[in-house]
Amino acid sequence: MSRSIVITGAGAGIGRATARAFLAAGWQVTLLGRREATLVETANGHPAQILPCDVRDPESVAKAFAQIPRLDVLFNNAGIAAPAAPIDEISVDDWLNVSATNITGMFLCARAAFGILRRQTPQGGRIINNGSLSAHVPRPGSAPYTMSKHAVTGLTRTLGLDGRAFNIACAQIDIGNALTDMAARFTKGVPQADGQIRVEPVMDVDHVARMVLHMASLPLEVNTPFVTIMARDMPFIGRG
């Protein structure tokens, strides 16, 4: 029987690339996202379970995960960013929007998946959270996003601890400059810590997809608690 994975934020970017990698590898893939049409586009004719879901909404998440009878892996991927600005110029609505998706959404999906993994027979599985290099160091003007990704690290560490009793592994992938629509601005120039605007190197998003597939394919007695994958020469080591 093929292994199963749920991927949130599967309608675009890293979620779409990862979903297609798992479909090509023969996994049973469940696609979660707000818009059914983009999920169908991600599946691209391959058999996949498509579940429109707003990860920010507890009822929507509960309804989606209730349709998943068995689970091996959750790729807890859905996330957004806010426009860069000093904190006093960031609207409260922008903060609430980012935190609702990147913190509450991550919590709700991890909670639902953990419950399935804990209670199914045989017990256990894996949760992979999408972090960011911003879980380590910030970009200028990124308070909401950076705060949210530090919260993801706390979630990963806690689930890694609490999951031991139930054969549940938890890992985090921290990604830097994978070329998606969200990261396209790096190719045109973005603010640096010294105030300059510079173009940054990017990498093909398929490298991320293959890394997540590798992490998900490990036996449960093995874990990669934190993995960093990035465009080699982007400003991270020495950022600031």
Side-chain angles (χ1 to χ4, degrees), residues 105-130:
M106 282 271 187
F107 171 86
L108 291 174
C109 292
R111 178 179 181 273
F114 197 98
I116 293 172
L117 298 173
R118 177 180 177 180
R119 293 173 177 87
Q120 66 189 4
T121 303
Q123 188 182 61
R126 191 181 308 271
I127 296 171
I128 301 173
N129 293 325
N130 187 349

Side-chain angles (χ1 to χ4, degrees), residues 16 19-20 23-24 31 36-50:
R16 171 171 287 179
R20 289 177 173 174
L23 286 167
L31 308 176
E36 183 175 5
T38 61
L39 299 177
V40 171
E41 187 178 343
T42 292
N44 197 29
H46 290 85
Q49 185 178 25
I50 293 173

Side-chain angles (χ1 to χ4, degrees), residues 4-23 27-34 39 42 48-51 53 55 65 68 71 73-78 109 128 130 209 212-213 216:
S4 62
I5 183 169
V6 170
I7 299 174
T8 68
I14 289 167
R16 171 171 287 179
T18 303
R20 289 177 173 174
F22 277 84
L23 286 167
W27 284 58
Q28 294 179 359
V29 180
T30 298
L31 308 176
L32 265 61
R34 282 183 289 175
L39 299 177
T42 292
Q49 185 178 25
I50 293 173
L51 299 177
C53 174
V55 300
F65 277 83
I68 300 165
L71 181 63
V73 179
L74 166 68
F75 182 34
N76 210 4
N77 165 71
C109 292
I128 301 173
N130 187 349
V212 176
L213 179 59

Side-chain angles (χ1 to χ4, degrees), residues 38 43 58 74 86-87 91 100 106 123 132 145 153 165 196 208-209 213-214 219 223 228:
T38 61
L74 166 68
I87 191 169
S91 72
M106 282 271 187
Q123 188 182 61
S132 170
Y145 186 77
T153 296
Q196 296 186 31
V208 177
L213 179 59
H214 169 69
N223 194 28
T228 299

